[in-house]
Amino acid sequence: MSELGLVVTDIARADADVVDALGVHGVATVHEAMGRTGLVGAAIRPIQTGARVAGTAVTVLSWPGDNLMIHVAVEQCRPGDLLVVATTSPSLDGAFGELFATALQARGVRGIVTTTGIRDTAELREMAFPAWSAAVNAQGTVKATAGSVNVPVVVGGVQVLPGDVVVADDDGVLRVPRLEAASVLAAADARIAKEEADRLAYRGGELSLDRKGLRPLLTELGVRYVRQDDLGPSAATP
């Protein structure tokens, strides 16, 4: 566990242009480009549909049922950041709501990813402040215990470091290590170019079985093509 009682004020952040470009590509494309790594898992879900963002992580480590350190983290946020909140042990209390979002939006923060609960979801959707959380929960929290800001946190088994790139959309949430962001973007760009070529081929009627060279694999796996009549009366449609 990261040391508690720390607020790191001078984190290095990923390049803003790289962050924006990764956000355009979205979670699925970047996940594939990274070798299918970095996803925080299906337990963290969006409270809205249609939002696609990427930002540099400002991280918060809080005690369960306590949102004191989110208040502290607001001061450390800059335009283009995305708040990432975790707790020292599991907690689904509603630690974040509309007032926090108002303060963060004024500082140019692009959204929040949290292992806790979210409340005021209708207001968050109305103000277009995207959120991904482990729960929607009206249960309130206290402000009583010191945690930390801008230390490593774990979200769904994935460690997120301050300044990393976090990409989030309807498909989930993905962490891109800050030092790998440029190379991941290059791989994502290449994947997009390949997918566009595939898309044009499929529109022209080409089959993915042939374009991806999958027929030899089917033969190797023992897949057979037969006529229904060859299977006998038991295979006939009632």
Side-chain angles (χ1 to χ4, degrees), residues 91-109:
S91 174
L92 298 180
D93 292 341
F96 186 93
E98 177 265 334
L99 288 178
F100 271 139
T102 300
L104 290 172
Q105 201 168 56
R107 300 181 75 85
V109 175

Side-chain angles (χ1 to χ4, degrees), residues 126-137:
E126 183 177 355
M127 63 191 292
F129 188 85
W132 289 258
S133 69
V136 173
N137 191 352

Side-chain angles (χ1 to χ4, degrees), residues 99-120:
L99 288 178
F100 271 139
T102 300
L104 290 172
Q105 201 168 56
R107 300 181 75 85
V109 175
R110 295 176 173 177
I112 181 173
V113 172
T114 178
T115 64
T116 71
I118 291 281
R119 61 184 188 175
D120 303 332

Side-chain angles (χ1 to χ4, degrees), residues 12-223:
R13 288 168 165 84
D15 180 82
D17 290 338
V18 173
V19 174
D20 290 345
L22 288 169
V24 171
H25 286 322
V27 170
T29 294
V30 179
H31 173 56
E32 294 287 348
M34 280 209 309
R36 298 181 180 174
T37 62
L39 280 179
V40 306
I44 306 298
R45 301 299 305 149
I47 67 162
Q48 68 284 308
T49 59
R52 174 176 286 182
V53 301
T56 43
V58 168
T59 62
V60 180
L61 183 63
S62 292
W63 283 84
D66 192 312
N67 69 0
L68 173 63
M69 300 313 291
I70 300 179
H71 289 272
V72 176
V74 172
E75 184 181 24
Q76 302 306 318
C77 290
R78 301 178 185 175
D81 285 341
L82 193 147
L83 198 66
V84 180
V85 179
T87 51
T88 57
S89 60
S91 174
L92 298 180
D93 292 341
F96 186 93
E98 177 265 334
L99 288 178
F100 271 139
T102 300
L104 290 172
Q105 201 168 56
R107 300 181 75 85
V109 175
R110 295 176 173 177
I112 181 173
V113 172
T114 178
T115 64
T116 71
I118 291 281
R119 61 184 188 175
D120 303 332
T121 54
E123 289 82 358
L124 294 181
R125 287 190 289 268
E126 183 177 355
M127 63 191 292
F129 188 85
W132 289 258
S133 69
V136 173
N137 191 352
Q139 175 63 51
T141 57
V142 300
K143 303 163 186 61
T145 310
S148 290
V149 174
N150 282 331
V151 298
V153 298
V154 176
V155 180
V158 173
Q159 187 179 62
V160 180
L161 305 183
D164 282 346
V165 184
V166 176
V167 186
D169 59 23
D170 288 351
D171 292 335
V173 178
L174 178 77
R175 173 249 181 171
V176 180
R178 178 178 64 87
L179 296 179
E180 299 175 20
S183 61
V184 170
L185 175 59
D189 287 343
R191 183 172 183 85
I192 286 294
K194 177 182 179 302
E195 288 180 350
E196 180 57 25
D198 287 344
R199 188 174 296 109
L200 290 173
Y202 298 155
R203 285 173 179 164
E206 186 174 351
L207 294 173
S208 58
L209 280 174
D210 297 315
R211 185 165 182 83
K212 295 182 179 297
L214 295 175
R215 294 191 188 277
L217 175 61
L218 295 178
T219 300
E220 180 183 336
L221 294 174
V223 176

